[in-house]
Amino acid sequence: MTLKAMYNDIASQYTTANLFGSISKSHECAIAQIKKAHLGLRPHYKVLDLGVGNGTFLQKLQQEMPAAEFTGIDVSSEMLKRAREKLTLTTVETSATEASRYLPSHSQDLVLAHFINAYIPINTLFNQANLLTRANGHFSLITTTYESFPAAQQQLANFVAEESILSSIVGHYYKAIVKNSTVAAGEEELLQTFPQHGFEIVEHQRLRIPVVLNNIDDLVLFGIEGTWFLNSVSIRMLPKNFLLQRLKRLFSKIFTFPYEDTHIIDVILAKK
């Protein structure tokens, strides 16, 4: 599967990904932060979404700042098509890593990066935000860290500790994924990234969303189809049927059911 095809496929998974309200609750929190800071009140206020997706967030935000000018970036043509159906905006089909090649430096009043840190290295993402945000502009980030899904982390650790051939292979591969992760290890590392890139945190909220999955099919639906357990682009680019069949077999050995966990999501508004 090519990178672009992978993102086009993800376009159809938003409902599954929001099964427990992870996306909608995070969006509500981000909009509340933006409203509290009184952003977007003046005409021609420029808003850039570095991963606009299907435009759901911008459609909600437009209700709070109807005079704003919106630009959405996404590598998926299918996502951009859906976004244009929801609201009037300028769209750019490219990766957020290339955003500064298409837009003037320091031109945006508000830059959004919601749920794209799992796809883009955190320092690359912050560099783009810094390049594109004007002085005294704002940056809204929604992301997970490796502190999310602690029960899954513990069950995986227990499986690796069995020291079987399969568990040793899984442990080796998992360490490689963590080493090459695009997200911060935890809350402290995430918060330190803001001042390192010229941003001052205005407000930070950490959401803890309960997740209950009753069987392996529910786990595959939420974790794989919903993409929350796929924190490696190299994994996402494997053929879908290949991925589902093998991970389903593997997860049935690692997880016990009903599986209860916590989806931890950080919602942060910062000022440049």
Side-chain angles (χ1 to χ4, degrees), residues 3 14 33 61 68 72 78 85 94 103 110 116 119 124 144 164-165 185 234 239 250 252 258 267:
L3 185 63
Y14 267 47
Q33 291 178 351
L61 186 61
E78 180 61 28
E85 292 170 353
T94 190
L103 296 166
L110 172 62
I116 62 172
Y119 304 84
T124 301
T144 59
S164 66
I165 294 175
S234 61
L250 178 61
S252 66
V267 185

mmCIF file of all heavy atoms in Angstrom, residues 3 14 33 61 68 72 78 85 94 103 110 116 119 124 144 164-165 185 234 239 250 252 258 267:
data_model
loop_
_atom_site.group_PDB
_atom_site.id
_atom_site.type_symbol
_atom_site.label_atom_id
_atom_site.label_comp_id
_atom_site.label_asym_id
_atom_site.label_seq_id
_atom_site.Cartn_x
_atom_site.Cartn_y
_atom_site.Cartn_z
ATOM 1 N N LEU A 3 1.808 5.318 0.520
ATOM 2 C CA LEU A 3 1.496 6.236 1.612
ATOM 3 C C LEU A 3 0.186 6.965 1.359
ATOM 4 O O LEU A 3 -0.668 7.081 2.239
ATOM 5 C CB LEU A 3 2.642 7.242 1.770
ATOM 6 C CG LEU A 3 2.523 8.211 2.954
ATOM 7 C CD1 LEU A 3 2.547 7.439 4.262
ATOM 8 C CD2 LEU A 3 3.655 9.229 2.907
ATOM 9 N N TYR A 14 -13.101 7.301 10.377
ATOM 10 C CA TYR A 14 -13.325 8.278 11.444
ATOM 11 C C TYR A 14 -14.376 7.826 12.454
ATOM 12 O O TYR A 14 -14.224 8.021 13.654
ATOM 13 C CB TYR A 14 -13.713 9.632 10.834
ATOM 14 C CG TYR A 14 -12.533 10.540 10.616
ATOM 15 C CD1 TYR A 14 -11.369 10.059 10.020
ATOM 16 C CD2 TYR A 14 -12.565 11.871 11.009
ATOM 17 C CE1 TYR A 14 -10.279 10.887 9.823
ATOM 18 C CE2 TYR A 14 -11.471 12.702 10.804
ATOM 19 C CZ TYR A 14 -10.331 12.209 10.218
ATOM 20 O OH TYR A 14 -9.258 13.027 10.025
ATOM 21 N N GLN A 33 -10.884 25.797 24.519
ATOM 22 C CA GLN A 33 -9.635 26.526 24.771
ATOM 23 C C GLN A 33 -9.522 27.746 23.852
ATOM 24 O O GLN A 33 -9.124 28.833 24.286
ATOM 25 C CB GLN A 33 -8.438 25.601 24.564
ATOM 26 C CG GLN A 33 -8.300 24.507 25.609
ATOM 27 C CD GLN A 33 -7.124 23.591 25.336
ATOM 28 O OE1 GLN A 33 -6.491 23.655 24.281
ATOM 29 N NE2 GLN A 33 -6.813 22.714 26.279
ATOM 30 N N LEU A 61 -15.313 24.795 14.182
ATOM 31 C CA LEU A 61 -14.618 26.039 14.520
ATOM 32 C C LEU A 61 -15.191 27.223 13.755
ATOM 33 O O LEU A 61 -15.235 28.345 14.272
ATOM 34 C CB LEU A 61 -13.124 25.887 14.221
ATOM 35 C CG LEU A 61 -12.218 27.035 14.653
ATOM 36 C CD1 LEU A 61 -12.273 27.224 16.169
ATOM 37 C CD2 LEU A 61 -10.778 26.775 14.208
ATOM 38 N N ALA A 68 -13.366 34.093 9.672
ATOM 39 C CA ALA A 68 -11.996 33.604 9.500
ATOM 40 C C ALA A 68 -11.787 33.025 8.104
ATOM 41 O O ALA A 68 -12.734 32.639 7.411
ATOM 42 C CB ALA A 68 -11.680 32.551 10.559
ATOM 43 N N GLY A 72 -6.676 24.185 4.660
ATOM 44 C CA GLY A 72 -6.518 22.823 5.142
ATOM 45 C C GLY A 72 -5.500 22.064 4.314
ATOM 46 O O GLY A 72 -5.542 22.079 3.087
ATOM 47 N N GLU A 78 -8.918 12.242 -0.825
ATOM 48 C CA GLU A 78 -10.263 11.889 -0.362
ATOM 49 C C GLU A 78 -10.653 12.715 0.857
ATOM 50 O O GLU A 78 -11.791 13.192 0.976
ATOM 51 C CB GLU A 78 -10.330 10.398 -0.030
ATOM 52 C CG GLU A 78 -11.681 9.914 0.463
ATOM 53 C CD GLU A 78 -12.802 10.100 -0.542
ATOM 54 O OE1 GLU A 78 -12.525 10.099 -1.770
ATOM 55 O OE2 GLU A 78 -13.965 10.265 -0.119
ATOM 56 N N GLU A 85 -16.583 19.681 1.094
ATOM 57 C CA GLU A 85 -18.041 19.517 1.147
ATOM 58 C C GLU A 85 -18.629 20.095 2.429
ATOM 59 O O GLU A 85 -19.823 20.399 2.486
ATOM 60 C CB GLU A 85 -18.400 18.026 1.036
ATOM 61 C CG GLU A 85 -18.089 17.429 -0.331
ATOM 62 C CD GLU A 85 -18.223 15.907 -0.351
ATOM 63 O OE1 GLU A 85 -18.419 15.318 0.736
ATOM 64 O OE2 GLU A 85 -18.121 15.316 -1.443
ATOM 65 N N THR A 94 -0.770 17.934 0.313
ATOM 66 C CA THR A 94 0.638 17.660 0.616
ATOM 67 C C THR A 94 0.739 17.198 2.061
ATOM 68 O O THR A 94 -0.239 17.240 2.812
ATOM 69 C CB THR A 94 1.504 18.915 0.392
ATOM 70 O OG1 THR A 94 2.898 18.549 0.467
ATOM 71 C CG2 THR A 94 1.238 19.986 1.436
ATOM 72 N N LEU A 103 3.042 27.794 1.813
ATOM 73 C CA LEU A 103 2.431 28.952 2.466
ATOM 74 C C LEU A 103 3.522 29.905 2.964
ATOM 75 O O LEU A 103 4.614 29.470 3.334
ATOM 76 C CB LEU A 103 1.576 28.494 3.653
ATOM 77 C CG LEU A 103 0.363 27.630 3.298
ATOM 78 C CD1 LEU A 103 -0.184 26.960 4.549
ATOM 79 C CD2 LEU A 103 -0.715 28.463 2.635
ATOM 80 N N LEU A 110 -3.609 31.149 13.580
ATOM 81 C CA LEU A 110 -3.823 29.953 14.383
ATOM 82 C C LEU A 110 -3.464 28.734 13.534
ATOM 83 O O LEU A 110 -3.993 28.550 12.435
ATOM 84 C CB LEU A 110 -5.291 29.865 14.828
ATOM 85 C CG LEU A 110 -5.742 28.570 15.531
ATOM 86 C CD1 LEU A 110 -4.982 28.365 16.843
ATOM 87 C CD2 LEU A 110 -7.249 28.600 15.785
ATOM 88 N N ILE A 116 -2.123 14.309 14.291
ATOM 89 C CA ILE A 116 -1.195 13.981 13.204
ATOM 90 C C ILE A 116 0.221 13.719 13.713
ATOM 91 O O ILE A 116 1.075 13.299 12.945
ATOM 92 C CB ILE A 116 -1.169 15.075 12.107
ATOM 93 C CG1 ILE A 116 -0.680 16.422 12.666
ATOM 94 C CG2 ILE A 116 -2.523 15.229 11.467
ATOM 95 C CD1 ILE A 116 -0.455 17.458 11.573
ATOM 96 N N TYR A 119 1.755 10.429 12.982
ATOM 97 C CA TYR A 119 2.243 10.208 11.620
ATOM 98 C C TYR A 119 3.517 11.000 11.323
ATOM 99 O O TYR A 119 4.250 10.679 10.393
ATOM 100 C CB TYR A 119 1.179 10.627 10.595
ATOM 101 C CG TYR A 119 -0.151 9.950 10.760
ATOM 102 C CD1 TYR A 119 -1.099 10.429 11.658
ATOM 103 C CD2 TYR A 119 -0.469 8.822 10.006
ATOM 104 C CE1 TYR A 119 -2.331 9.805 11.805
ATOM 105 C CE2 TYR A 119 -1.698 8.193 10.150
ATOM 106 C CZ TYR A 119 -2.614 8.690 11.048
ATOM 107 O OH TYR A 119 -3.836 8.070 11.196
ATOM 108 N N THR A 124 9.613 17.781 13.827
ATOM 109 C CA THR A 124 9.276 18.235 12.481
ATOM 110 C C THR A 124 7.959 18.994 12.500
ATOM 111 O O THR A 124 7.824 20.054 11.868
ATOM 112 C CB THR A 124 9.166 17.028 11.520
ATOM 113 O OG1 THR A 124 10.401 16.326 11.501
ATOM 114 C CG2 THR A 124 8.813 17.481 10.112
ATOM 115 N N THR A 144 -1.620 12.041 21.353
ATOM 116 C CA THR A 144 -1.388 11.051 22.392
ATOM 117 C C THR A 144 0.116 10.980 22.643
ATOM 118 O O THR A 144 0.909 11.547 21.888
ATOM 119 C CB THR A 144 -1.893 9.664 21.964
ATOM 120 O OG1 THR A 144 -1.209 9.279 20.767
ATOM 121 C CG2 THR A 144 -3.387 9.673 21.717
ATOM 122 N N SER A 164 9.168 -16.605 25.481
ATOM 123 C CA SER A 164 9.004 -17.608 24.421
ATOM 124 C C SER A 164 9.635 -17.049 23.147
ATOM 125 O O SER A 164 10.040 -15.876 23.098
ATOM 126 C CB SER A 164 7.526 -17.891 24.179
ATOM 127 O OG SER A 164 6.878 -16.737 23.647
ATOM 128 N N ILE A 165 9.731 -17.870 22.129
ATOM 129 C CA ILE A 165 10.298 -17.384 20.869
ATOM 130 C C ILE A 165 9.445 -16.248 20.312
ATOM 131 O O ILE A 165 9.965 -15.200 19.903
ATOM 132 C CB ILE A 165 10.392 -18.538 19.839
ATOM 133 C CG1 ILE A 165 11.405 -19.580 20.315
ATOM 134 C CG2 ILE A 165 10.783 -17.992 18.468
ATOM 135 C CD1 ILE A 165 11.472 -20.813 19.429
ATOM 136 N N ALA A 185 7.357 10.496 24.629
ATOM 137 C CA ALA A 185 7.270 9.355 25.535
ATOM 138 C C ALA A 185 6.187 9.570 26.588
ATOM 139 O O ALA A 185 5.512 8.631 26.993
ATOM 140 C CB ALA A 185 8.611 9.114 26.200
ATOM 141 N N SER A 234 5.367 2.400 9.089
ATOM 142 C CA SER A 234 5.819 1.182 8.412
ATOM 143 C C SER A 234 4.810 0.057 8.593
ATOM 144 O O SER A 234 4.595 -0.758 7.695
ATOM 145 C CB SER A 234 7.189 0.752 8.955
ATOM 146 O OG SER A 234 7.117 0.470 10.344
ATOM 147 N N PRO A 239 -0.040 -4.461 3.604
ATOM 148 C CA PRO A 239 -1.365 -4.757 3.055
ATOM 149 C C PRO A 239 -2.368 -4.969 4.183
ATOM 150 O O PRO A 239 -2.087 -5.667 5.162
ATOM 151 C CB PRO A 239 -1.128 -6.038 2.251
ATOM 152 C CG PRO A 239 0.324 -5.994 1.897
ATOM 153 C CD PRO A 239 1.006 -5.337 3.067
ATOM 154 N N LEU A 250 -2.035 -12.485 16.798
ATOM 155 C CA LEU A 250 -1.081 -12.074 17.826
ATOM 156 C C LEU A 250 -1.794 -11.488 19.041
ATOM 157 O O LEU A 250 -1.491 -11.841 20.187
ATOM 158 C CB LEU A 250 -0.105 -11.056 17.242
ATOM 159 C CG LEU A 250 0.932 -10.478 18.205
ATOM 160 C CD1 LEU A 250 1.813 -11.586 18.764
ATOM 161 C CD2 LEU A 250 1.775 -9.425 17.506
ATOM 162 N N SER A 252 -4.715 -12.011 20.131
ATOM 163 C CA SER A 252 -5.462 -13.020 20.884
ATOM 164 C C SER A 252 -4.561 -13.732 21.897
ATOM 165 O O SER A 252 -5.040 -14.286 22.893
ATOM 166 C CB SER A 252 -6.087 -14.038 19.932
ATOM 167 O OG SER A 252 -5.084 -14.797 19.268
ATOM 168 N N PRO A 258 -12.899 -9.239 29.177
ATOM 169 C CA PRO A 258 -13.001 -7.925 28.549
ATOM 170 C C PRO A 258 -11.755 -7.081 28.841
ATOM 171 O O PRO A 258 -11.213 -7.132 29.945
ATOM 172 C CB PRO A 258 -14.242 -7.307 29.186
ATOM 173 C CG PRO A 258 -14.365 -7.999 30.508
ATOM 174 C CD PRO A 258 -13.884 -9.390 30.280
ATOM 175 N N VAL A 267 -4.589 17.876 25.052
ATOM 176 C CA VAL A 267 -5.128 18.971 24.250
ATOM 177 C C VAL A 267 -4.474 20.258 24.752
ATOM 178 O O VAL A 267 -4.650 20.633 25.919
ATOM 179 C CB VAL A 267 -6.656 19.062 24.365
ATOM 180 C CG1 VAL A 267 -7.198 20.141 23.418
ATOM 181 C CG2 VAL A 267 -7.294 17.718 24.063
#
